[in-house]
């Protein structure tokens, strides 16, 4: 609220929890906050079905037009499920991906998946490479992103069966935004970013890797000088702007997640990434070198959010540019 | 050579490469170095069969009694294969494990496997938990090690199928050295060590994780204050002291690997870890609370190295204590 004077917050959760947030604000800031009361808070545990209902209420708020984007520090699985159900999944995306951004020497490194698909098929890794390349270009303005597949060495043939299968598929796959596949990369490359701008891996490996790097930075006394990357992940593959903070998120982490959601929504990032998806193998546009978004096929489902209702003040503060 | 006046080095490789090392030494230090010439150097690439012959020559040097321990920065796969073939594999260990040690807040964290078994069965993860617990106790003097299984969350049921299968197996498995299984842990725990002293994972995840943490420390301007953990991994499951440095190892990394090998050999670590192996499920000793090494079964193969030859001076400088 302090860092972004254009930000309006809709808090979805128990009123007692919201009161704690509101009490810390100035009267002027309080005009930019709204509460949608639910009985329970979203929690990190997958086995708390009532917590899921909070996430579903937040998805409904976006669908209603009461909010533009959703930020959750609740269960990742519940958030992804509620978003896929409420917003709809993109037609050509086998599995939505959670995308993290890490600070690196020469700029940001985009890492995906970090927890959406724990056991992806090789074709899903290819789909995620397309999503990650488009996201690096759209969200972080990386020109001609270099895309690598995470493995235990850089020579072709290194890695387990899923990696050995996906490597030639990736080498043959058309990638958007002038991206090119640079082959296998290693753990160092995720932290240093020297060899790739986008690192593709399964959600299990990506999740433990991201947390290990965060732990290492905590051990080393804070993030590096080139830090400032959001400590939250964007969800790609559903027709809405969704950011997931982890269950152990600090207030600063949640603030960085909210800032990421605002950044993505203002850049129309979800829609612009979506426009690259017909490039996926099996899609209806295989123009390998397209940098500009390709013309949308009439056969693809619309991904614009439902028409906004003006019933809730939080929906009125800003309207994004819409595609003609 | 400078840090450890009791160390003798046997260099196995091309004489030209050895000459570069010897030139940097004082005359007194040169009396502690021996060269076994081979035509090629051990290289990082698995597809260089001639490089493998260097590793095999180094294994032979240990078998001959010309050296006590083997350190390789060549191909991990070639080193593990040559060591398993030359030294023999422990009977009850399904797959040898590469074990790394990381600096953490409250002491070292042992991470395994970091590249030996890329796609382990759940029973192999259990075997590696036993190895890791024994290694933490023997090599790092960790009392009653806490053993965790790496996953994407800490609640039971979190993770992919291999993790969900291994978790209850680990909860039921007898662990040596007073170790106890603490359940699922996350990436943070590998770097911070707050929840576990031993973190078990598959070799693919462990390898990329270890390299990512090294990369993060490099990004953050060096390892943390409590650093000094060896930047090399010990091989457990073969009847010899073997340390693997990665292919991109710096001279300091190789020196830390040599120091680790000397440390392990002086502590009789390989033999002492081996003595815990009958505790493995299916072994002949299932005493869950045994802290002292159990009596060895007559049915198990001997793991003592072959009788030493005095033919090579490097073999004479020290004799380890042998079990009665």
């Amino acid at each position: 609220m302090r860092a972004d004077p254009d930000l309006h917050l809709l808090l979805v959760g128990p009123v007692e929890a919201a009161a704690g947030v509101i009490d810390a604000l100035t009267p002027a800031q309080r005009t930019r906050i709204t509460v949608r009361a639910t009985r329970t808070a979203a929690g990190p545990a997958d086995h708390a079905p009532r917590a899921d209902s909070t996430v579903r209420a937040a998805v409904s708020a976006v669908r209603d037009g009461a909010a533009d984007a959703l930020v959750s520090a609740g269960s990742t699985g519940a958030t992804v499920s509620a978003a896929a159900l409420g917003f709809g999944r993109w037609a050509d995306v086998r599995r939505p991906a959670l995308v993290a951004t890490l600070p690196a020497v020469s700029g940001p490194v985009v890492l995906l998946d970090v927890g959406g698909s724990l056991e992806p098929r090789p074709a899903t890794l290819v789909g995620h490479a397309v999503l990650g390349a488009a996201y690096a270009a759209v969200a972080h303005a990386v020109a001609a992103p270099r895309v690598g597949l995470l493995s235990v060495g850089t020579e072709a043939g290194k890695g387990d069966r899923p990696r050995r299968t996906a490597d030639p598929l990736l080498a043959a796959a058309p990638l958007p935004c002038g991206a090119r596949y640079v082959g296998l990369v290693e753990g160092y490359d995720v932290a240093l970013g020297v060899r790739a701008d986008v690192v593709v891996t399964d959600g299990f490996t990506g999740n433990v890797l991201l947390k290990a790097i965060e732990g290492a930075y905590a051990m080393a006394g804070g993030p590096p000088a080139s830090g400032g990357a959001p400590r939250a992940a964007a969800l790609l593959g559903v027709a809405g702007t969704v950011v997931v903070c982890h269950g152990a998120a600090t207030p600063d982490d949640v603030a960085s997640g909210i800032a990421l959601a605002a950044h993505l929504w203002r850049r129309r990032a979800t829609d612009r990434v979506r426009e690259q998806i017909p490039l996926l193998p099996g899609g209806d546009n295989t123009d390998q070198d397209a940098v500009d978004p390709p013309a949308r096929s009439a056969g693809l489902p619309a991904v614009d959010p439902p028409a906004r209702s003006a019933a809730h003040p939080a929906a009125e503060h800003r309207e994004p540019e819409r595609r003609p």
Side-chain angles (χ1 to χ4, degrees), chain A:
Chain A
M1 296 298 282
R2 275 192 293 269
D4 184 346
D6 292 331
L7 188 77
H8 290 241
L9 277 188
L10 174 66
L11 301 178
V12 181
V15 283
E16 312 86 74
V21 176
I22 293 167
D23 285 350
L25 298 175
T26 65
Q29 287 167 344
R30 284 179 202 172
T31 64
R32 294 190 278 126
I33 206 157
T34 316
V35 177
R36 183 170 287 200
T38 65
R39 282 196 201 157
T40 55
D46 269 338
H47 46 71
R50 284 187 304 174
D52 295 0
S53 70
T54 308
V55 178
R56 287 200 298 272
V59 169
S60 295
V62 175
R63 283 180 58 98
D64 295 350
D68 294 313
L70 166 62
V71 178
S72 171
S75 154
T76 299
T79 304
V80 173
S81 299
L85 198 68
F87 298 136
R89 215 170 272 192
W90 294 345
D92 297 333
V93 173
R94 290 166 192 271
R95 300 293 301 265
L98 277 169
V99 188
T101 303
L102 294 109
V105 173
S106 52
V109 168
V110 166
L111 174 67
L112 78 168
D113 176 37
V114 298
S117 292
L118 297 187
E119 294 168 273
R121 293 191 296 168
T124 301
L125 293 173
V126 174
H128 288 181
V130 172
L131 290 176
Y135 184 80
V138 166
H140 300 300
V142 177
R146 299 161 300 163
V147 178
L149 176 66
L150 187 64
S151 193
V152 297
T154 58
E155 303 98 9
K158 283 278 190 181
D160 56 5
R161 269 167 297 181
R163 270 27 86 154
R164 294 198 304 270
T165 307
D167 183 34
L169 295 179
L170 279 161
L175 295 175
C177 304
R180 67 190 168 89
Y181 178 61
V182 298
L184 303 180
V185 299
E186 297 181 270
Y188 315 112
D189 299 301
V190 178
L192 299 172
V194 175
R195 300 187 68 245
D197 307 298
V198 178
V199 175
V200 178
T201 191
D202 63 278
F204 182 88
T205 305
N207 183 283
V208 297
L209 200 69
L210 179 66
K211 291 173 179 170
I213 290 173
E214 289 178 1
Y217 285 145
M219 270 288 287
S226 58
R231 285 167 54 93
L235 180 64
L236 296 181
V238 302
T241 300
V242 180
V243 167
V244 177
C245 303
H246 49 67
T250 64
D252 278 353
D253 296 341
V254 175
S256 101
I258 294 169
L260 173 63
H263 171 83
L264 295 177
W265 185 80
R266 286 165 182 163
R267 288 198 168 209
R268 240 176 25 85
T270 301
D271 289 351
R272 289 168 63 205
V273 169
R274 174 68 186 85
E275 288 161 3
Q276 305 297 336
I277 300 310
L279 290 171
L280 271 180
D284 52 359
N285 183 327
T286 53
D287 176 4
Q288 188 163 359
D289 296 313
V291 177
D292 294 323
R296 299 183 73 206
S297 153
L300 291 171
V303 292
D304 288 338
R308 275 150 196 285
S309 138
H312 198 286
E316 299 172 355
H317 71 282
R318 208 174 337 103
E319 275 295 322
E321 276 188 280
R322 292 283 164 209
R323 277 189 305 281

